[in-house]
Amino acid sequence: MAEFILVHGGGHGAWCWELLEAELARLGHVTHAVDMPVDQPDTYIDDYARTVIDAVAGKAADDAYLVGHSMGGLIAPRVAAARPQARI
């Protein structure tokens, strides 16, 4: 079993991972899709990273895989800096 933290892009929400989450669950994996505040114009990349970090705190394994789509690819490394055992 593996664990995945799914970070969506700027024009999406956690909903965009539904098909992938279903397939990963079918294979016995755990997922955490986080909704980021993309509708808030004064929000910056570090704010998005903090949203992800806070959303999975105490829920996701320390070595969970970080998967970033589009803008999420900018956020995943910042999340990894706060979760040094995570994999991207």
Side-chain angles (χ1 to χ4, degrees), residues 36-53:
M36 292 185 298
V38 295
D39 59 337
Q40 298 175 16
D42 291 334
T43 306
Y44 300 97
I45 296 296
D46 288 333
D47 299 321
Y48 293 131
R50 176 55 48 202
T51 297
V52 175
I53 292 163

Side-chain angles (χ1 to χ4, degrees), residues 1 5 10 12 15 30 42 49 53-54 56 60 68 78 83 85:
M1 180 207 57
I5 299 169
H12 293 105
W15 55 265
V30 175
D42 291 334
I53 292 163
D54 292 346
V56 300
R78 286 172 159 71
R83 300 176 59 89
Q85 294 179 29

